[in-house]
Amino acid sequence: MLWRFRNSWYASACARNLARHSSSQAQPQSTALHFYQNRQLELYASKEANRLSLRQLVFFGRSMDEEKLIKSANYVRTELPVRIAHRLMDLQALPYVVVTQEGVARVYELYWSAFEKFRRYPQVTTLEENEAFCKFLESVLDEHAPVIPSLSLGLSLSSPHLSPDSLDAFMRRMLVSRISRRVLTEHHLALSKSLGTNSLNHPEDPHVGIIYTALNLRHSIDKCVALLHGRPHDIVDEIGESVPNRGWPEVIVDGHVDTKFSYIREHLEYIIFELLKNAMTATGLNHRSSSNLPPIRATIVVGENDVGVRISDQGGGLSSARIKSPSDLFSFSHIRNATRMDDTRLGALRSASSRGVKATVAEQIRPWWTEQSNVNSNDKDPERDAGIAPHPKIGLGLPMSNIFTTYFGGTLELVSLDGWGTDVYLRLPKLGTNLEGIEL
């Protein structure tokens, strides 16, 4: 009886929260009210996720034919509801005060809706059915774009009610699982589009699905540098003072510059982009009175089992009264990172939740391109088409970089040399044998 009471309590809380944030138009009754009338969640949550490695994904997809593509479709169709079910159980375990926070109920509804859709989706048996399945997958990806900012907003508001360890562990499970589902989905979509071709023979970027088998690390760093050097915006310091952009620091790349390894390029470039963006901004702020900006150094090192990148800047370090340890910048708790409760950050998260955030480089640079093309134009605000606006910050860059890094067993470490600068150490496995870091 206690279990049923708690479930009913949770469902009612979700429904009330959704009602408060719904538009004036009539909305369908919350699916949360019907959720506990069946045992399907328990059935799926009792199953183990079939974790995969990069090597397994490459091996299966390197010689794609119709039969293997159908197998891939049905693997995605049956695996995703299992992974979603575990996260729904996580959401159910949250305290009542967290459930009612802005953003959390919305994520619950999105997950429950996706769970039901995948659970009921029929088996894929033909290429025509796979084409329809791919369209379905793309629609789900678009529907779930608000998940990251909505979760961050809801858990930031809930931070006073959860211990830092509990909050960060919850967010890690949610976000790593989300990345894993997105990888499986986008990998299958890419395999479907490349059916009948051999993308491994691509002269510049051999790849299988979304995995690049000879990813040139130096080229990815140079690409991120070029994109960041094209930023048209001024930089803003911690108190909101605009600092004129006199150009961005040079980035010197040294070490094992010819390094190539198998990895998901979108993940790698998101991490590198965020780290270099922070380094350039800090350097510009710390040397605002200087005519020349000191360079940033990116050193590539290859070990027996991993690939490493050290990014060193002279941005003054990470010392702050609001941040006790550099690793706290990865935290979603206001106790470890007091900026989580800033009104400007919460407002930016609300705005991002309405647009969605997919955590890619493309959505960050889109407003820069749009602004440049709309100079002297009265068109709509270019930032409204982007997932992440340049200002104000939403505080997801470093936490998401850490999540991407650890997904396949990598590490990201920040070392602050207060008064001088910051060294960032990124290590990624190069053999492709690490399984996904999903926590059940």
Side-chain angles (χ1 to χ4, degrees):
M1 291 298 295
L2 178 59
W3 182 85
R4 290 180 175 234
F5 174 75
R6 183 184 179 190
N7 291 340
S8 176
W9 182 35
Y10 183 89
S12 299
C14 288
R16 288 195 300 272
N17 191 55
L18 284 168
R20 284 199 304 269
H21 295 92
S22 63
S23 65
S24 58
Q25 296 179 347
Q27 299 291 326
Q29 190 175 23
S30 170
T31 56
L33 292 175
H34 304 287
F35 175 69
Y36 297 102
Q37 296 174 8
N38 65 75
R39 300 288 182 175
Q40 290 298 323
L41 177 67
E42 293 180 6
L43 174 63
Y44 279 84
S46 66
K47 301 177 182 180
E48 291 287 329
N50 295 311
R51 297 187 298 160
L52 299 176
S53 67
L54 283 175
R55 181 172 291 185
Q56 288 174 312
L57 290 169
V58 170
F59 182 79
F60 180 81
R62 68 169 61 246
S63 300
M64 186 55 54
D65 55 27
E66 180 177 345
E67 181 182 0
K68 293 177 71 175
L69 188 63
I70 298 302
K71 287 183 178 179
S72 173
N74 285 305
Y75 170 77
V76 173
R77 179 183 64 85
T78 57
E79 179 67 14
L80 292 194
V82 174
R83 299 190 182 198
I84 295 171
H86 286 282
R87 301 290 70 85
L88 281 167
M89 296 292 282
D90 260 350
L91 285 163
Q92 286 185 27
L94 291 172
Y96 173 79
V97 68
V98 177
V99 172
T100 59
Q101 290 295 343
E102 180 181 353
V104 179
R106 184 183 186 188
V107 173
Y108 180 89
E109 287 290 317
L110 286 170
Y111 276 34
W112 173 243
S113 175
F115 172 71
E116 280 288 271
K117 289 177 181 177
F118 277 108
R119 182 176 70 83
R120 298 175 184 274
Y121 202 94
Q123 184 175 0
V124 178
T125 59
T126 66
L127 288 180
E128 290 74 17
E129 290 176 356
N130 178 66
E131 183 178 352
F133 181 61
C134 288
K135 292 179 180 178
F136 163 72
L137 291 177
E138 290 173 343
S139 69
V140 173
L141 286 176
D142 290 339
E143 288 175 3
H144 282 235
V147 165
I148 294 178
S150 294
L151 268 180
S152 183
L153 173 61
L155 270 294
S156 292
L157 294 171
S158 305
S159 186
H161 310 295
L162 290 172
S163 70
D165 288 343
S166 297
L167 191 156
D168 286 332
F170 171 81
M171 286 296 287
R172 170 178 166 74
R173 290 194 300 274
M174 295 294 291
L175 294 176
V176 169
S177 179
R178 182 186 185 279
I179 290 172
S180 77
R181 299 191 306 273
R182 193 170 189 89
V183 165
L184 294 182
T185 300
E186 293 185 338
H187 189 62
H188 178 71
L189 291 173
L191 291 176
S192 297
K193 291 178 181 178
S194 64
L195 181 65
T197 64
N198 189 349
S199 53
L200 278 174
N201 292 333
H202 196 283
E204 296 182 359
D205 293 311
H207 61 279
V208 175
I210 62 172
I211 303 166
Y212 287 75
T213 56
L215 185 55
N216 189 309
L217 186 50
R218 169 68 184 269
H219 288 176
S220 289
I221 293 175
D222 288 343
K223 174 183 175 182
C224 292
V225 171
L227 291 172
L228 287 164
H229 279 172
R231 282 190 288 178
H233 299 283
D234 293 343
I235 55 179
V236 178
D237 63 15
E238 291 183 355
I239 61 174
E241 177 185 348
S242 178
V243 180
N245 179 3
R246 295 161 288 110
W248 298 103
E250 176 189 4
V251 177
I252 300 172
V253 183
D254 58 12
H256 301 152
V257 294
D258 296 324
T259 297
K260 295 180 180 180
F261 71 120
S262 181
Y263 212 73
I264 300 174
R265 185 168 68 181
E266 187 176 78
H267 291 188
L268 172 69
E269 292 183 355
Y270 181 89
I271 299 166
I272 296 295
F273 184 89
E274 284 295 333
L275 298 180
L276 287 175
K277 180 177 67 174
N278 289 341
M280 287 185 183
T281 302
T283 301
L285 290 171
N286 194 45
H287 296 271
R288 67 183 72 192
S289 300
S290 302
S291 57
N292 295 313
L293 298 177
I296 295 166
R297 187 174 297 273
T299 303
I300 303 171
V301 179
V302 181
E304 182 178 354
N305 299 312
D306 56 25
V307 173
V309 181
R310 181 189 65 192
I311 297 178
S312 301
D313 66 55
Q314 297 180 38
L318 301 173
S319 60
S320 170
R322 310 183 76 183
I323 302 292
K324 297 179 181 178
S325 169
S327 63
D328 289 344
L329 291 170
F330 301 146
S331 177
F332 291 88
S333 170
H334 84 292
I335 296 176
R336 289 177 175 158
N337 186 346
T339 63
R340 293 287 168 204
M341 296 296 285
D342 287 352
D343 289 340
T344 54
R345 178 156 294 180
L346 293 176
L349 282 170
R350 288 187 179 96
S351 179
S353 296
S354 65
R355 297 188 299 263
V357 171
K358 295 182 178 179
T360 64
V361 172
E363 69 182 354
Q364 294 205 56
I365 63 177
R366 190 182 306 126
W368 306 344
W369 294 341
T370 308
E371 180 170 320
Q372 288 176 328
S373 64
N374 286 337
V375 173
N376 298 324
S377 171
N378 292 323
D379 292 345
K380 64 180 181 179
D381 180 4
E383 294 182 7
R384 293 184 60 83
D385 290 332
I388 302 178
H391 301 301
K393 297 179 180 179
I394 59 177
L396 292 178
L398 280 177
M400 286 305 302
S401 295
N402 189 47
I403 295 293
F404 277 126
T405 300
T406 57
Y407 173 48
F408 277 119
T411 60
L412 183 60
E413 181 182 7
L414 308 178
V415 179
S416 178
L417 308 174
D418 293 343
W420 178 260
T422 303
D423 285 352
V424 181
Y425 296 89
L426 170 67
R427 291 183 177 86
L428 297 172
K430 72 172 186 178
L431 302 179
T433 56
N434 290 23
L435 294 174
E436 301 170 278
I438 306 170
E439 299 178 41
L440 300 179

